Amino acid sequence: MDALKVELGDRSYPIFIGENILTQSNIASFVSGKQVMIVSNETIAPLHLQALVDQLAGLQVDQVILPDGEQFKNLASVELIFDQLLEKRHNRTTTLIALGGGVVGDMTGFAAACYQRGVNFIQIPTTLLSQVDSSVGGKTGVNHPLGKNMVGAFYQPQVVVADIGFFSTLAKREVAAGISEVVKYGLIYDADFFVWLEENMQAIVNIDPQAMSYAVKRSCEIKAQVVAEDETEQGIRAWLNLGHTFGHAIETHQGYGNWLHGEAVAAGTIMALDLSCRLGWISEELLARTKAMFEIAGLPVLPPENMTEDDFIQLMSVDKKVLEGKIRLVLIKELGRAIVTDDFDHDLLKQTLAIAK
Ligand code: GLY
């Protein structure tokens, strides 16, 4: 089992990574009170809930099982968590445990941030995407019909347990959706990791344990470093949103859950690289290499054909990075280095928005 640390002073916490480590990670030692509320979904609970409950003997363990899907990442679902917490008389010393993918993790963290003005929570991410990105760093929240992740809070967990054994029951489409976030770390931060990913992409798609462990570990190392430097996204943390401004627009336009987050990020990343290329910052070769990896993973490399330029502009204008009415984008300056900027030729952006036409 590998152990990393997110260094945030007295809110620092470990990330444990390995195969079949749920029983080794001593989850109960991160529960400070006597009550636990497990939040999971209808797909994950039948597969993995009992193994977690077995680790919590001697505690009051309650559960709320939500429907599965991005379309349920809303305040109504968070309210179901509050209903259970109150019905089962959970007090301020309770610990919420998220057992699921990014949707479960984001909503559980948000419920923990709000319940009785803040209680502890633990992340047990079960998808590739949630292990390499959303479970680490304390971004929590829900979607609004007018924009992705528009209601939320920064709120850090007590521990993250990233067990790659969960991937044996993960749908291929979900594995692919996590790969776009893994490739992101190479593009924005670590050129060597990008090259390693090119060499090992088929092994990752095949969920080879050694390749997958390294991919998750290196991604979490980079995420932990970036979050330690810039917890509330005043600077470098925004790099982690490569492809997300385009991607969030796609998810919102297509209806939450129709494109998986990671699929929309893949198409969005290609759009960000396309614009970086048009600006003369990166070569067509880097764009082609990234596309090739996404294609091996079965990820989309073009936005949906039914989205117009105006659809994009309208939806991208409610992005959280918008400043003084200007769309700001994460673009790539060179392999391993990103930039957040509103200083680009809007005619070039229009050409990028039209690449599927
Ligand atoms: N998923 C991007 C971030 O955590 O900042």
Side-chain angles (χ1 to χ4, degrees):
M1 180 164 87
D2 287 303
L4 309 174
K5 194 169 177 193
V6 183
E7 299 279 1
L8 289 169
D10 58 5
R11 292 173 301 115
S12 297
Y13 55 93
I15 308 170
F16 299 125
I17 302 165
E19 195 178 7
N20 302 324
I21 57 168
L22 191 59
T23 47
Q24 294 165 41
S25 52
N26 203 3
I27 291 276
S29 68
F30 293 91
V31 175
S32 47
K34 299 246 171 292
Q35 298 176 306
V36 166
M37 177 66 72
I38 301 172
V39 181
S40 192
N41 69 33
E42 286 166 350
T43 307
I44 293 297
L47 298 170
H48 304 298
L49 182 67
Q50 192 54 49
L52 173 59
V53 171
D54 291 346
Q55 302 302 308
L56 301 167
L59 300 167
Q60 175 192 332
V61 180
D62 295 305
Q63 46 186 265
V64 47
I65 310 301
L66 301 169
D68 185 9
E70 188 78 36
Q71 63 273 39
F72 301 106
K73 186 175 158 182
N74 52 34
L75 287 173
S77 296
V78 174
E79 203 149 334
L80 294 176
I81 304 175
F82 295 145
D83 292 347
Q84 277 303 301
L85 286 164
L86 286 162
E87 273 172 30
K88 299 284 167 38
R89 301 275 184 272
H90 281 246
N91 61 42
R92 281 188 152 160
T93 67
T94 191
T95 299
L96 273 57
I97 302 183
L99 177 70
V103 170
V104 165
D106 283 12
M107 288 199 293
T108 307
F110 186 52
C114 300
Y115 187 65
Q116 302 201 10
R117 301 201 178 91
V119 296
N120 287 349
F121 89 109
I122 289 171
Q123 288 273 22
I124 307 184
T126 57
T127 62
L128 177 59
L129 189 140
S130 57
Q131 291 194 6
V132 298
D133 191 15
S134 60
S135 67
V136 177
K139 278 192 181 174
T140 74
V142 293
N143 299 328
H144 186 278
L146 296 180
K148 265 279 287 184
N149 294 337
M150 280 295 153
V151 179
F154 285 104
Y155 197 68
Q156 302 294 341
Q158 265 54 53
V159 59
V160 179
V161 179
D163 187 338
I164 67 160
F166 288 125
F167 301 163
S168 63
T169 55
L170 195 59
K172 254 181 128 40
R173 189 177 170 200
E174 292 282 354
V175 176
I179 287 172
S180 54
E181 298 282 9
V182 175
V183 171
K184 166 186 87 179
Y185 292 110
L187 285 166
I188 63 166
Y189 203 84
D190 185 346
D192 292 342
F193 185 46
F194 183 89
V195 172
W196 181 89
L197 286 167
E198 286 181 298
E199 286 161 2
N200 290 278
M201 188 46 67
Q202 194 58 59
I204 292 169
V205 170
N206 295 343
I207 319 181
D208 170 81
Q210 231 178 328
M212 197 51 111
S213 293
Y214 181 69
V216 172
K217 183 173 161 223
R218 185 64 195 131
S219 300
C220 286
E221 272 170 3
I222 296 171
K223 178 93 194 236
Q225 207 159 330
V226 169
V227 168
E229 207 175 305
D230 178 23
E231 182 184 5
T232 58
E233 200 170 304
Q234 308 303 309
I236 191 172
R237 186 166 181 168
W239 291 12
L240 299 173
N241 294 325
L242 176 69
H244 284 57
T245 304
F246 299 106
H248 285 171
I250 294 171
E251 283 184 86
T252 308
H253 183 268
Q254 298 303 105
Y256 296 129
N258 288 318
W259 277 51
L260 296 180
H261 174 64
E263 293 170 340
V265 166
T269 298
I270 296 302
M271 296 174 86
L273 290 176
D274 180 88
L275 182 53
S276 307
C277 203
R278 288 178 199 277
L279 288 160
W281 295 343
I282 62 162
S283 63
E284 297 226 354
E285 189 220 0
L286 181 59
L287 175 58
R289 285 165 67 189
T290 308
K291 262 189 200 161
M293 275 199 271
F294 287 171
E295 276 162 356
I296 292 171
L299 285 164
V301 293
L302 285 175
E305 279 179 22
N306 67 354
M307 275 186 86
T308 63
E309 233 176 83
D310 283 351
D311 292 332
F312 268 109
I313 296 291
Q314 207 181 322
L315 289 162
M316 287 164 70
S317 302
V318 291
D319 185 72
K320 290 192 285 308
K321 285 183 295 303
V322 166
L323 208 61
E324 290 164 5
K326 286 190 179 156
I327 294 174
R328 291 161 76 234
L329 294 170
V330 184
L331 301 174
I332 295 293
K333 270 283 183 185
E334 63 182 335
L335 179 56
R337 190 162 64 94
I339 182 177
V340 183
T341 183
D342 62 12
D343 187 15
F344 45 80
D345 181 341
H346 280 250
D347 286 338
L348 296 181
L349 173 62
K350 281 184 182 168
Q351 290 170 25
T352 290
L353 296 179
I355 56 173
K357 303 287 178 280

